[in-house]
Amino acid sequence: MQLRLRTKLTLVMTSLVLLVAAVLSGVFAAQLLEQLLEATNTRADDLGKQVFVQAKHALLEAGQQGLRPASDAPDEIHDFVRHAFEISDGLRTQLKAAKENPLIYEVSITDLDGMVLASTDENLPGLYLPRRTPLSQLVQRNFLHQVKVLAGPTKVFEAGFSVQQCEPPVRRSARSAQCRFAGE
């Protein structure tokens, strides 16, 4: 069957319009995903800073209440820090507020070895957390990789960094679940 010239031109024009629409939609989706991941990363960093401030206040409050480590032994200091975090109302309130955010899977304060000192998950203190893929690493990857990771099975990312001002140094860690990104 032979197509008339007018039909051929209509098919070519329609195909071009569809191609341009698909390309523009892809570019828009890439920009939107980039903005979403950047915003999530920024929120996780802000939450980490807020938790750090509360952890610092918890240690100061414990000192003002007269609590001190029994000695300068690392285990005693470790126990003192964990106890200060456990009794701090401000830190507990901050962790509770973080838990209510649907984008946040879990927030933990760990020591350098990964032992949880305080967490939104009551079962985690005293346990060791495995290191997870940093959220910033996903943010830096290309669009196709981001789509592949986010479309795959649920994965938990870590937005954490070391804080050396504390004794002993502790690592803040705010974790966001991949499946929750779509809700932003």
Side-chain angles (χ1 to χ4, degrees):
M1 176 177 170
Q2 187 106 11
L3 297 177
R4 294 186 321 194
L5 180 61
R6 181 183 233 175
T7 306
K8 289 178 185 178
L9 287 174
T10 303
L11 288 174
V12 168
M13 294 303 279
T14 304
S15 299
L16 286 175
V17 168
L18 286 174
L19 179 64
V20 169
V23 168
L24 289 177
S25 295
V27 169
F28 177 72
Q31 288 177 339
L32 190 60
L33 181 59
E34 181 181 348
Q35 289 174 358
L36 180 66
L37 289 174
E38 285 287 342
T40 301
N41 195 34
T42 301
R43 286 181 184 170
D45 283 343
D46 290 344
L47 176 63
K49 290 174 186 173
Q50 292 169 358
V51 169
F52 171 68
V53 167
Q54 288 302 323
K56 192 173 178 181
H57 286 300
L59 294 173
L60 291 173
E61 288 172 6
Q64 291 171 350
Q65 293 174 2
L67 299 174
R68 302 268 185 265
S71 70
D72 287 341
D75 290 340
E76 290 293 332
I77 295 173
H78 192 270
D79 290 340
F80 163 74
V81 170
R82 186 170 55 204
H83 180 67
F85 290 167
E86 287 173 357
I87 64 171
S88 173
D89 290 332
L91 182 59
R92 219 174 313 129
T93 302
Q94 181 69 45
L95 292 175
K96 186 176 181 181
K99 190 175 184 177
E100 292 173 0
N101 185 338
L103 297 173
I104 302 299
Y105 176 73
E106 168 249 325
V107 178
S108 295
I109 301 172
T110 66
D111 64 11
L112 289 175
D113 297 325
M115 180 189 229
V116 178
L117 302 173
S119 178
T120 54
D121 185 343
E122 293 83 21
N123 298 325
L124 289 181
L127 299 177
Y128 289 89
L129 284 182
R131 293 302 304 237
R132 304 225 169 93
T133 305
L135 181 58
S136 60
Q137 204 174 65
L138 179 66
V139 171
Q140 295 170 356
R141 298 297 298 261
N142 64 38
F143 173 68
L144 294 177
H145 178 76
Q146 291 171 345
V147 169
K148 180 181 171 187
V149 169
L150 294 175
T154 300
K155 188 172 181 183
V156 177
F157 293 92
E158 179 175 298
F161 44 96
S162 295
V163 179
Q164 300 297 330
Q165 295 110 334
C166 294
E167 287 296 330
V170 293
R171 185 180 83 233
R172 283 185 284 135
S173 177
R175 300 174 191 270
S176 297
Q178 166 196 332
C179 61
R180 306 285 183 163
F181 290 158
E184 259 198 6

